């Protein structure tokens, strides 16, 4: 409520600049979400550029290198989401910057959003054309924030994109809707990674990528189980293992080094996001939790096995069976009646332990899927 009042006061005090031919695309989520919607974002950019408009892109800092590699946006604006929600001066400065930029249109491209972030940014831009997803009536802060923030949308334009489904709709479907709005359609949703050379990194001739982190311990399959899979990849298939993660993993790299010796390349915490994409593009298989690594692999037709929990099952993974990306991508999961809990797990656990549905997935089940995917991948290449 305080954020709503704060933005409302700023809206009265800060006059909007005369709208010009600039358009702002907003995407304020994580790397994996960006990869899923990359093609739609580029389609939207092409749509507006074909009409003689300049497109800017607003995103989190961790996405800026990907956006620049994809040549998305003539200008990339960075959002610090934590500060935007907790630092009043930062929020006010960004509000003034957006209100005075003179945007003629703004497109909010998230399906799952918080009104006091994504809708508030659209409200700040105050462009005459505002396109976006209306959101679920049970979304966070939705009922409290709608009276003000729904004024930020141009109603007919919202309905063209927004009235397309229910909560937990697969992101592939929403991405296709965004592309269709831009007049484009594609046999595959995921666009191959931008060409960022990874040749400077010490990569083996044939290798598998193991990506054992997920940003939150509850979503991470236990590291010793990833280690067992890595050992089998070398001993049974002769694949070197490249260990990748957002940060260093000494607790996992040490035991793996003992088991694999020179057949392990530990690049955890040493790669940029575009480099990670290119490392994955050169792999023979990827083993990961539900992370951006899954989507990087699928976008480059690299076989992938994803250990999947039920938090938002069916929204990002598994891929729809009719999707081209599902051909070499498999999700391993333990079905439970509490799926789609949005990671509010009802079962007790230690803070550093995985949630129940992930912990119940055993090594042999994952390994059987790895071998099946390797066979199918080899057949596809033959």
């Amino acid at each position: 409520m305080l954020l709503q009042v704060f933005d409302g006061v700023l809206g009265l005090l800060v006059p909007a600049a005369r709208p010009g031919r600039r358009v702002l695309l907003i995407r304020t989520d994580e790397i994996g979400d960006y990869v899923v919607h990359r093609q739609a974002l580029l389609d939207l950019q092409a749509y507006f550029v074909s009409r003689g408009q300049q497109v800017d892109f607003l995103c989190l800092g961790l996405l800026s290198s990907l956006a620049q590699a994809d040549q998305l946006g003539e200008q990339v604006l960075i959002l610090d989401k934590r500060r935007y929600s907790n630092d009043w001066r930062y929020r006010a400065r960004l509000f003034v910057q957006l209100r005075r930029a003179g945007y003629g249109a703004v497109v909010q491209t998230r399906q799952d959003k918080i009104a006091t972030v994504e809708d508030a940014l659209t409200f700040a831009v105050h462009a005459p054309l505002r396109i976006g997803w209306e959101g679920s009536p049970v979304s966070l802060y939705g009922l409290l924030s709608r009276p003000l923030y729904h004024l930020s949308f141009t109603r007919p334009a919202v309905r063209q994109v927004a009235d397309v489904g229910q909560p937990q709709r697969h992101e592939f479907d929403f991405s296709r809707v965004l592309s269709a709005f831009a007049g484009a359609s594609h046999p595959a949703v995921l666009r191959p990674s931008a060409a960022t050379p990874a040749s400077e990194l010490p990569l083996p001739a044939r290798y598998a990528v193991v990506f054992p982190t997920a940003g939150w311990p509850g979503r991470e399959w236990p590291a010793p189980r990833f280690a067992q899979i890595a050992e089998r990849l070398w001993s049974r298939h002769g694949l070197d293992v490249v260990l990748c993660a957002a940060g260093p993993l000494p607790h996992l790299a040490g035991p793996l080094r003992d088991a694999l010796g020179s057949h392990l390349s530990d690049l955890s915490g040493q790669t940029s996001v575009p480099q990670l994409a290119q490392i994955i593009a050169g792999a023979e298989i990827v083993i990961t939790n539900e992370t951006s690594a899954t989507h990087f692999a699928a976008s480059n037709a690299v076989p992938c096995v994803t250990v999947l929990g039920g938090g938002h099952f069916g929204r990002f993974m598994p891929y729809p069976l009719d999707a081209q990306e599902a051909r070499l991508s498999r999700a391993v999961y333990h079905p439970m009646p509490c799926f789609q809990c949005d990671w509010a797990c009802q079962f007790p656990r230690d803070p550093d332990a995985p949630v129940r549905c992930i912990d119940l997935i055993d090594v042999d089940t994952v390994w059987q899927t790895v071998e099946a995917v390797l066979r199918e991948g080899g057949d596809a290449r033959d």
Side-chain angles (χ1 to χ4, degrees):
M1 290 294 288
L2 287 174
L3 291 173
Q4 179 178 223
V5 171
F6 183 74
D7 289 345
V9 171
L10 286 175
L12 293 173
L13 295 177
V14 181
R18 182 188 298 274
R21 302 195 63 77
R22 298 173 67 191
V23 177
L24 182 65
L25 301 183
I26 299 176
R27 189 81 210 176
T28 53
D29 45 17
E30 305 300 324
I31 297 170
D33 306 73
Y34 171 87
V35 176
V36 169
H37 293 287
R38 167 197 274 146
Q39 183 63 67
L41 291 167
L42 292 169
D43 288 339
L44 287 166
Q45 175 172 262
Y47 171 82
F48 288 109
V49 168
S50 69
R51 285 156 175 75
Q53 295 171 285
Q54 172 189 320
V55 176
D56 294 341
F57 183 54
L58 188 149
C59 63
L60 304 185
L62 53 80
L63 295 178
S64 60
S65 59
L66 280 176
Q68 290 165 358
D70 289 331
Q71 298 183 331
L72 180 59
E74 292 194 25
Q75 180 181 193
V76 176
L77 308 179
I78 303 301
L79 173 71
D80 185 326
K81 190 180 289 188
R82 184 183 297 269
R83 289 185 66 192
Y84 187 66
S85 297
N86 297 288
D87 184 335
W88 300 99
R89 287 178 295 182
Y90 175 84
R91 190 179 184 96
R93 285 197 300 270
L94 184 56
F95 188 102
V96 172
Q97 178 185 354
L98 295 176
R99 182 60 61 107
R100 293 180 175 172
Y103 288 110
V106 56
V107 186
Q108 204 294 96
T109 62
R110 281 196 69 182
Q111 177 178 200
D112 179 28
K113 61 189 177 64
I114 298 173
T116 50
V117 178
E118 285 80 20
D119 287 353
L121 290 166
T122 308
F123 176 78
V125 172
H126 201 66
L129 176 61
R130 305 154 217 161
I131 302 169
W133 168 259
E134 289 189 63
S136 164
V138 296
S139 62
L140 187 58
Y141 309 135
L143 295 177
L144 296 178
S145 301
R146 285 176 179 228
L148 172 65
Y149 292 134
H150 267 205
L151 297 176
S152 67
F153 287 111
T154 307
R155 292 287 182 172
V158 173
R159 285 194 289 272
Q160 291 181 54
V161 178
D163 296 340
V164 294
Q166 304 298 321
Q168 293 293 340
R169 182 182 181 88
H170 202 287
E171 291 289 330
F172 272 28
D173 296 329
F174 187 58
S175 184
R176 288 191 176 101
V177 168
L178 292 173
S179 288
F181 177 82
S185 63
H186 310 277
V189 171
L190 299 181
R191 182 185 179 94
S193 305
T196 301
S199 57
E200 299 177 0
L201 298 170
L203 295 174
R206 296 179 60 239
Y207 62 91
V209 168
V210 172
F211 196 99
T213 57
W216 176 56
R219 293 175 57 182
E220 295 176 357
W221 201 45
R225 300 182 204 179
F226 274 108
Q228 292 183 57
I229 297 295
E231 292 168 15
R232 295 182 190 186
L233 286 166
W234 163 245
S235 64
R236 303 186 188 185
H237 290 276
L239 289 174
D240 284 14
V241 173
V242 176
L243 183 63
C244 293
L249 298 173
H251 65 290
L252 181 58
L256 276 177
R257 180 72 65 192
D258 293 339
L260 300 178
S262 62
H263 299 291
L264 173 71
S265 297
D266 180 15
L267 298 181
S268 56
Q270 301 179 47
T271 62
S272 67
V273 177
Q275 283 177 325
L276 171 64
Q278 288 304 303
I279 292 169
I280 289 173
E284 296 199 15
I285 191 170
V286 174
I287 319 297
T288 180
N289 296 300
E290 185 191 3
T291 65
S292 59
T294 295
H295 308 306
F296 280 135
S299 67
N300 289 282
V302 173
C304 181
V305 174
T306 300
V307 180
L308 179 64
H312 41 231
F313 186 87
R315 187 169 149 212
F316 290 95
M317 288 290 292
Y319 293 144
L321 293 178
D322 62 345
Q324 180 173 311
E325 291 86 353
R327 186 170 56 93
L328 295 176
S329 186
R330 297 289 183 275
V332 181
Y333 53 92
H334 184 90
M336 297 180 70
C338 53
F339 269 24
Q340 297 186 348
C341 66
D342 201 23
W343 301 112
C345 186
Q346 61 182 285
F347 298 100
R349 67 178 185 87
D350 294 333
D352 294 328
V355 295
R356 178 74 61 88
C357 57
I358 290 179
D359 195 38
L360 288 172
I361 299 171
D362 63 84
V363 171
D364 287 339
T365 299
V366 173
W367 180 249
Q368 290 169 9
T369 306
V370 168
E371 293 211 301
V373 170
L374 279 171
R375 284 195 302 271
E376 293 173 22
D379 293 342
R381 284 189 290 271
D382 293 340

